[in-house]
Amino acid sequence: MYDYMAPLFSIITVTYNAASTLPATLKSVKEQTSSLFEHIIMDGVSTDRTLKLAIDAGIPQARIYSSPDKGIYDAMNKAMDVAKGDYLIFLNAGDSFHSPDTLSLLAKEIIDNDYPGIIYGQTNLVDSQRRFIAPRHLTAPETLTLESFKEGMLVCHQAFIVNRKLAQPYDTKFRYSADYEWCIRCLQRSRHNRYVPEVLIDYLHEGTTTANRRKSLAERFRIMSYYYGFLPTVARHLAFIPRFLKQKHIENEAVKNLK
């Protein structure tokens, strides 16, 4: 039987000078109706008000660390090393749980379904004022397998919740897409994945630089080629282009209408 004195979830938030985006994340964690969690804030020695905001939020289950790191994935590895929860949730600064009942919903699904390796759901895009923009461009499938990710990262990292026993360190040689490669390795090790047909996460929609986007796509192509084969990956990328352009148009129109 599960020990309810221990955390079911380790919510991990990696921060560096995140004072402008962290409050929404802290608010959504503090408002959760379930208390079966710890909130690990792994900070990279911020020079703004990030740490003060984290402390002042007054979340009883918060564990706050601040030390130099070698980037976001190194910080995530450090957070995993100290995590005590059965399941890992990576909730970036600016992202939030969709509802105060999200963790309660997840806890019930986990306990009722014999502790799956991975539990996952849908994601919405929101702006800095938490206004809905659009559903995430890739829809989480009802059945999730290793082969699913050959079509891209079908489940948002934040809505991809992994049993800690399955989780290995992020490969920090990837600077932009280590989360995608990590999810694939988790899928390789999981024998039971559980779909929750609900929006779990509100993901902060932010523009990325062209340089970083290209580097991220290049890394993801390398990862796909390694796990799913070079020529099939080339063919799939040609098919991705119309999908990508359509979603960008939808998001851009939605952002314009909010202004």
Side-chain angles (χ1 to χ4, degrees):
M1 183 175 291
Y2 180 75
D3 179 4
Y4 280 90
M5 298 302 292
L8 180 59
F9 302 103
S10 289
I11 304 166
I12 294 171
T13 302
V14 170
T15 60
Y16 179 70
N17 288 348
S20 63
T21 55
L22 184 60
T25 306
L26 295 170
K27 181 175 182 290
S28 85
V29 172
K30 191 170 184 178
E31 288 178 345
Q32 290 302 298
T33 55
S34 170
S35 60
L36 300 177
F37 70 89
E38 62 177 356
H39 189 196
I40 299 172
I41 298 172
M42 188 62 66
D43 183 71
V45 192
S46 291
T47 57
D48 64 359
R49 297 177 62 249
T50 296
L51 288 173
K52 186 176 188 308
L53 289 170
I55 294 167
D56 290 350
I59 299 171
Q61 302 94 327
R63 297 167 60 198
I64 303 169
Y65 302 83
S66 187
S67 62
D69 58 57
K70 298 176 183 177
I72 185 170
Y73 298 116
D74 179 50
M76 288 178 176
N77 285 339
K78 290 167 63 176
M80 279 198 290
D81 285 343
V82 299
K84 298 177 181 178
D86 285 356
Y87 286 82
L88 302 173
I89 303 175
F90 289 91
L91 195 66
N92 291 341
D95 303 330
S96 60
F97 292 115
H98 183 68
S99 162
D101 294 327
T102 296
L103 285 186
S104 294
L105 171 65
L106 289 170
K108 184 177 187 307
E109 291 284 342
I110 287 169
I111 294 168
D112 288 351
N113 291 279
D114 196 27
Y115 291 74
I118 295 166
I119 185 167
Y120 66 100
Q122 305 294 348
T123 303
N124 281 344
L125 304 182
V126 299
D127 68 6
S128 59
Q129 298 179 54
R130 318 314 295 174
R131 295 178 298 184
F132 171 77
I133 295 174
R136 184 172 178 264
H137 71 291
L138 296 179
T139 301
E142 291 186 16
T143 300
L144 184 69
T145 68
L146 174 62
E147 290 299 298
S148 301
F149 266 43
K150 70 183 180 183
E151 301 297 334
M153 197 163 181
L154 294 190
V155 183
C156 180
H157 186 211
Q158 287 81 339
F160 186 94
I161 297 148
V162 178
N163 191 309
R164 185 163 56 91
K165 293 178 181 178
L166 302 181
Q168 298 173 328
Y170 289 85
D171 188 339
T172 56
K173 75 170 177 281
F174 299 112
R175 292 189 59 196
Y176 305 100
S177 295
D179 51 350
Y180 175 63
E181 195 270 344
W182 181 82
C183 288
I184 291 174
R185 280 189 283 123
C186 290
L187 285 166
Q188 283 182 321
R189 306 185 72 193
S190 179
R191 297 294 176 265
H192 177 201
N193 305 323
R194 178 69 181 176
Y195 173 58
V196 180
E198 302 285 345
V199 175
L200 302 180
I201 299 295
D202 290 338
Y203 180 90
L204 179 61
H205 181 272
E206 293 182 300
T208 56
T209 66
T210 301
N212 284 352
R213 182 180 294 278
R214 287 176 178 172
K215 290 175 182 177
S216 177
L217 291 174
E219 279 191 354
R220 191 163 298 190
F221 183 88
R222 286 169 52 203
I223 294 165
M224 280 186 174
S225 296
Y226 177 80
Y227 285 100
Y228 301 115
F230 175 74
L231 290 179
T233 296
V234 171
R236 288 191 195 97
H237 272 69
L238 293 174
F240 290 164
I241 294 172
R243 182 181 76 182
F244 173 79
L245 294 176
K246 179 180 179 181
Q247 180 63 22
K248 285 292 104 182
H249 175 72
I250 292 171
E251 291 175 16
N252 290 338
E253 289 300 310
V255 171
K256 285 179 184 177
N257 291 335
L258 290 174
K259 292 181 179 178

